[in-house]
Amino acid sequence: MTRSTQEANTAGGVTWRAVLAACAVLVVATPIAFYVEVAWDKADMFVGVPSMTPVVLLFLLSAATSLPLFRRVGLTRREVLVVYSLVLVAGPLISARIVGWLLVGTIQYYYFSRVYTVWQTTFMQHIPAWYAPTDPAAAVSFFEGGAVVPWALWWEPLAAWTAFMVALFVCALCILALFQRQWITHERLSFPFGQVPLTLVGSTGSDQLPGPARLPGSWVFWIGMAVSFGLTGLNELAQRWPIIPAIPLGPLTLIQEQRGGPLGGMGDVILILWPWMIAIAYLIPKELSFSAWFFWWVLVGINILPRGPAVIWDSTFPAPRYQGGGAVLLIGLWAVWIARKHLAHVLRAAFAGRPGDTDAREPMPYRLALVGIVLLLAGMIYFCCIAGCRLIVALLLIVGIVGYCVVWARLRAETGLGFATYPLQVFAIMRVPFGNAAFRIPEFVTANSLRWAYAKGGGTVFEVCAGNALETMKIADSSGIHKRRLTGAILLGFLLTVPLAIIVFLTGIHHYGWVELQRLNVGVMAEIITDGNRIVAYLMNPTETDVNGVAAMGTGAAITALLGVMRLRFWWWPFHPIGYMAAMSWSLYWYWLPFLIGWACKTLVLRYGGLRLYRSTIPLAIGFIVGELLNRGVWAVVALATTGRM
């Protein structure tokens, strides 16, 4: 064993060369991600679940250290996983939907109010001066380009929003540090996405003294990767050169939306056969995958019969989105209730005379985590208060945003549903019992300006950072990485990436102009314009308590509780409460078929081959996921090499 390998094992994998390697990757990848993801709209490099760049990086590092030339000086398995962890957590900041949305979502009021003049008479005077540069020329140069960054006008807004973003992440990290032992050890959540790096990178040493990293030797994994890479790569080629035959994997419209008749209200019936998503459905508990597609079709049936042409994701009763929102709230409370004994242990350890004796192996000291949660929550609430919110509204908004980040991280750890969208957003949940009339104009402005933190889910907004952080805790637990050192390294990578991403984005946006950058990707632009118009709609249409919304949320919570109790009491109970919640999300409109196929495959394997056969096929499923991500990486490189033309 080489000296560097011995040092890496002594440090639990968190060595300076691993941390510096990860930071170097983030520095190099930031401008690349701006061009590939924002300027050319060719690929999502860091957002999305699963994320492309960290897995591609892990594959390349393992391949390099597998070569005899690098074996003696290469990174160990733990060091490679540390590099992966830092890039996984900090990388999503380099995205149009996180840092990009944060920057654009504040200054956009001063640009689009020239067109939407009603903004000027309704809420513009309630926007704090420190939200964004107020100079009209700065807004024009931001959106139309051809200018340098007016840094003197941006310092104050950047300081305020950067502090809020860091506080939000660290607060979520502290909460996850308190709960992770419960979820990893006591409840033994499956962490489907955490299995990908643990399978992808092996070691030439033992579990106690791992040697240099290497690629997996399982031929089943390589078959899965080859099939997935080949199918998706062939379809990518066919899109660029139609003469090449393709194997359509979707989305394919089987039945067009019907405006009347017996199928009115069902919407389009979409078919998707993505191998990586089928693999996720294969890895998660089969009662979960079954419940997801089953309850989706129950919802479709309920929608068709009595209501005719109404579409299934509208806001009328039974309001699937509102039922899903109630389900998420109940699942969050249920997770706290199940963990009550562990939390009591945490509190005793935190306030004991020598807390380090019981939490030495945790990501951070319990006492520090508790103090951090209180101080950071207070800081974010203060941020909202000085923006014009009342204390109770600020409290509900911040607790809702942090709670959603943590709950969604747990749901992802248990089910792999990180790519699912939120059924109901945080501020929508707040408006249901109180109505629009209960909120003031500055509160609407603040809630909408924070939508980068809670807007959609699906692994595309800020919640993905918390979910990735929890996943790295599982990776550390399974591979023997020093958790506390890893937490410090992750914080270092995060603090490096925030200003780096801001500098690159502001420079690039002022050069090209945000309007020009969004000509291909109209999604973010549409969201941004909708933010201002949404505020106007709230003010022009004051509402009281949404009785139907309250009833639907209560129904969703009650059904979730019933399914959870039945699942605990009867081993044969086939329905999973989180599957019901997922069915209330818009995502199942697209993803029901992969869940059906994954459930059917897993059921057949377990029935006729037992647990032994299932475990031997897990590398095949992970190969499907890795093959898809490697294919995305190849085309991102092609887009970069061809200056975004392909």
Side-chain angles (χ1 to χ4, degrees):
M1 182 180 297
T2 64
R3 181 177 179 180
S4 60
T5 300
Q6 292 176 338
E7 292 174 351
N9 293 330
T10 303
V14 188
T15 61
W16 278 111
R17 64 174 184 171
V19 174
L20 291 176
C23 292
V25 169
L26 291 169
V27 170
V28 173
T30 301
I32 295 175
F34 175 81
Y35 281 99
V36 173
E37 183 175 339
V38 181
W40 302 329
D41 190 31
K42 293 299 181 181
D44 291 329
M45 291 190 61
F46 290 100
V47 294
V49 180
S51 179
M52 176 191 75
T53 301
V55 173
V56 173
L57 174 66
L58 191 67
F59 183 89
L60 295 176
L61 288 176
S62 299
T65 53
S66 297
L67 298 175
L69 178 64
F70 300 100
R71 188 165 297 166
R72 291 185 60 84
V73 296
L75 299 173
T76 66
R77 180 175 190 258
R78 290 172 181 170
E79 287 179 304
V80 170
L81 290 173
V82 167
V83 176
Y84 170 85
S85 298
L86 267 68
V87 174
L88 182 72
V89 175
L93 295 172
I94 313 168
S95 165
R97 287 198 170 273
I98 299 181
V99 164
W101 196 340
L102 182 150
L103 296 173
V104 182
T106 53
I107 197 172
Q108 56 103 2
Y109 298 125
Y110 298 100
Y111 182 77
F112 290 109
S113 61
R114 302 180 307 168
V115 178
Y116 300 96
T117 54
V118 68
W119 294 11
Q120 300 177 11
T121 58
T122 52
F123 67 85
M124 287 295 295
Q125 64 272 27
H126 296 277
I127 300 176
W130 49 267
Y131 258 35
T134 58
D135 187 350
V140 171
S141 66
F142 183 94
F143 281 91
E144 298 182 7
V148 296
V149 182
W151 292 108
L153 301 178
W154 275 100
W155 289 125
E156 184 179 8
L158 290 179
W161 288 106
T162 299
F164 184 93
M165 175 180 284
V166 172
L168 177 57
F169 173 73
V170 178
C171 184
L173 189 64
C174 290
I175 297 174
L176 294 174
L178 298 181
F179 277 91
Q180 59 90 29
R181 180 59 57 197
Q182 167 72 19
W183 296 338
I184 294 174
T185 303
H186 303 326
E187 296 185 40
R188 295 184 180 275
L189 302 184
S190 60
F191 287 87
F193 292 115
Q195 297 182 46
V196 175
L198 293 172
T199 300
L200 181 56
V201 56
S203 173
T204 56
S206 63
D207 292 338
Q208 290 75 27
L209 297 173
R214 62 174 177 83
L215 290 172
S218 171
W219 60 270
V220 177
F221 167 83
W222 290 101
I223 289 176
M225 195 191 81
V227 170
S228 179
F229 185 87
L231 287 175
T232 53
L234 181 65
N235 290 334
E236 290 285 350
L237 288 171
Q239 289 181 10
R240 291 160 175 80
W241 295 285
I243 194 173
I244 298 176
I247 302 176
L249 299 176
L252 303 172
T253 303
L254 179 64
I255 301 177
Q256 295 281 353
E257 179 182 351
Q258 304 294 313
R259 291 297 180 179
L263 297 182
M266 186 169 66
D268 296 331
V269 176
I270 304 295
L271 300 183
I272 285 178
L273 297 171
W274 296 338
W276 73 270
M277 188 166 286
I278 295 173
I280 292 297
Y282 186 78
L283 292 174
I284 65 179
K286 64 185 183 69
E287 63 269 20
L288 171 61
S289 53
F290 168 75
S291 300
W293 68 262
F294 176 82
F295 282 116
W296 170 256
W297 280 102
V298 169
L299 175 63
V300 171
I302 292 174
N303 189 80
I304 292 174
L305 295 178
R307 297 196 296 153
V311 293
I312 56 180
W313 50 84
D314 66 13
S315 59
T316 57
F317 195 80
R321 296 184 297 118
Y322 290 78
Q323 290 189 53
V328 172
L329 292 177
L330 195 282
I331 289 170
L333 295 174
W334 184 263
V336 174
W337 173 255
I338 293 176
R340 64 191 183 279
K341 293 182 179 179
H342 171 72
L343 293 178
H345 166 74
V346 167
L347 292 175
R348 288 194 299 269
F351 296 105
R354 298 178 63 187
D357 295 338
T358 56
D359 60 6
R361 296 181 179 272
E362 303 306 305
M364 65 179 67
Y366 288 150
R367 184 180 298 174
L368 177 62
L370 288 170
V371 172
I373 292 169
V374 173
L375 293 179
L376 293 168
L377 283 176
M380 289 185 285
I381 291 170
Y382 176 72
F383 177 96
C384 295
C385 288
I386 63 174
C389 297
R390 289 165 291 177
L391 178 60
I392 183 62
V393 175
L395 176 64
L396 292 175
L397 182 61
I398 295 303
V399 170
I401 293 174
V402 175
Y404 247 57
C405 286
V406 174
V407 169
W408 217 251
R410 188 198 184 279
L411 291 176
R412 170 177 160 182
E414 182 176 3
T415 66
L417 291 175
F419 51 83
T421 56
Y422 293 155
L424 197 63
Q425 297 175 16
V426 173
F427 192 53
I429 292 178
M430 292 173 58
R431 297 197 320 273
V432 169
F434 303 112
N436 296 339
F439 297 95
R440 298 174 179 174
I441 298 177
E443 293 162 352
F444 287 126
V445 173
T446 302
N448 279 275
S449 299
L450 286 171
R451 273 171 38 84
W452 55 268
Y454 69 87
K456 289 182 175 296
T460 59
V461 294
F462 196 75
E463 51 83 20
V464 71
C465 294
N468 290 348
L470 180 59
E471 186 176 304
T472 63
M473 296 177 187
K474 168 63 177 178
I475 293 170
D477 190 82
S478 299
S479 58
I481 297 174
H482 196 288
K483 285 188 178 180
R484 193 159 295 180
R485 290 176 178 172
L486 180 62
T487 301
I490 286 174
L491 285 173
L492 177 63
F494 190 90
L495 294 175
L496 168 70
T497 308
V498 170
L500 182 65
I502 289 174
I503 292 171
V504 170
F505 267 71
L506 276 180
T507 304
I509 291 172
H510 277 83
H511 176 72
Y512 291 102
W514 184 255
V515 173
E516 180 64 28
L517 290 174
Q518 292 299 297
R519 289 188 186 278
L520 294 177
N521 184 8
V522 297
V524 178
M525 180 67 78
E527 287 279 357
I528 290 168
I529 298 175
T530 303
D531 280 345
N533 290 333
R534 184 181 289 108
I535 296 174
V536 174
Y538 293 153
L539 298 175
M540 296 298 185
N541 300 284
T543 59
E544 302 298 330
T545 300
D546 184 352
V547 177
N548 281 344
V550 171
M553 289 181 63
T555 300
I559 293 175
T560 303
L562 175 63
L563 295 177
V565 170
M566 294 295 290
R567 185 167 180 265
L568 289 177
R569 291 182 61 88
F570 302 103
W571 63 267
W572 49 265
W573 183 252
F575 301 115
H576 198 294
I578 298 179
Y580 164 76
M581 182 278 299
M584 300 299 108
S585 165
W586 180 88
S587 304
L588 265 292
Y589 172 66
W590 271 34
Y591 303 149
W592 67 268
L593 184 58
F595 276 75
L596 172 59
I597 296 174
W599 165 80
C601 292
K602 185 170 185 176
T603 300
L604 292 174
V605 167
L606 289 174
R607 182 177 182 84
Y608 296 105
L611 190 59
R612 183 177 180 180
L613 178 60
Y614 172 70
R615 287 176 176 171
S616 65
T617 55
I618 287 178
L620 179 70
I622 294 176
F624 282 159
I625 299 171
V626 173
E628 165 72 22
L629 298 177
L630 288 179
N631 180 73
R632 296 183 196 175
V634 167
W635 288 106
V637 172
V638 170
L640 187 66
T642 56
T643 320
R645 291 189 295 271
M646 296 188 69

